[in-house]
Amino acid sequence: MSMLLAFAPFIVFALCDRLLGVVPALSAAALVSAVFLVRDWLTPGRSVKVLEIGTLALFGGLAVYAVATHTEWSLLGMRLRVDAGLLIVVLASMAIRQPFTLQYAKERTPPEVWTQPGFRLVNNVITAAWAVAFGLMVLADVAMVYMPALPLWVGIAVTVAAIVAAIRFTQWYPEHMRAKFQAAN
């Protein structure tokens, strides 16, 4: 659940963008990201996470850029930038060998589980599943931006389906692998 809460800045952005505009929405999302970082830094048993650092950099960087350059992005153009940024953060977490799900998993499991066979593999696979979901969202965004005749519901449907699939996979896969490992032993 705490991993899903880490996506709250994206929800704040989506809600505020419609109500307040791009720069206030980016700023609000950056603020929520900063609050999560401070919470994790100050709370015993929690750690600052790659996803939260990346989210703050993404929203903060886009906000600063938009203010500095007086850039006005369309809703679809902004979605593309945010989704692409999120995909980059997730891929970067994999590239530095710290898949973003690993940090959340370690907060919910005892240290002796961290060394069990498959713990890191499960987190690599789940993070890859999220990368695929975000990649699909980016492709949908690109289609929406460059094929304006495409109905808006197509992009929304792809986004919802990708996120729901990633959430369900995240819930299912660890149990599946645990049962598979127990059956083998």
Side-chain angles (χ1 to χ4, degrees), residues 45 72 103 110 123 136 151 181:
E72 291 291 327
Q103 294 168 312
N123 282 282
L136 290 171
F181 179 74

Side-chain angles (χ1 to χ4, degrees), residues 23-47:
V23 173
L26 290 169
S27 301
L31 179 62
V32 170
S33 298
V35 167
F36 284 164
L37 278 172
V38 170
R39 176 204 64 188
D40 286 350
W41 184 53
L42 296 176
T43 304
R46 295 188 77 100
S47 62

Side-chain angles (χ1 to χ4, degrees), residues 4 24 27 32 35 44 50-51 59 79 89 114 128 136 138 145 148 176:
L4 296 179
S27 301
V32 170
V35 167
V50 172
L51 182 61
F59 285 117
R79 269 187 58 178
V89 169
W114 305 351
L136 290 171
V138 168
V145 168
H176 168 74

Side-chain angles (χ1 to χ4, degrees), residues 46-68:
R46 295 188 77 100
S47 62
V48 173
K49 296 171 185 62
V50 172
L51 182 61
E52 293 166 355
I53 293 167
T55 300
L56 177 59
L58 171 64
F59 285 117
L62 286 172
V64 167
Y65 181 82
V67 168

Side-chain angles (χ1 to χ4, degrees), residues 3 87 89-91 93-94 98-103 120-134 169-170:
M3 186 181 82
L87 176 59
V89 169
V90 171
L91 292 174
S93 81
M94 294 172 75
Q98 288 297 317
F100 85 93
T101 61
L102 185 64
Q103 294 168 312
R120 183 169 278 278
L121 173 66
V122 165
N123 282 282
N124 284 331
V125 171
I126 292 172
T127 299
W130 280 96
V132 168
F134 298 140
F169 185 79
T170 299

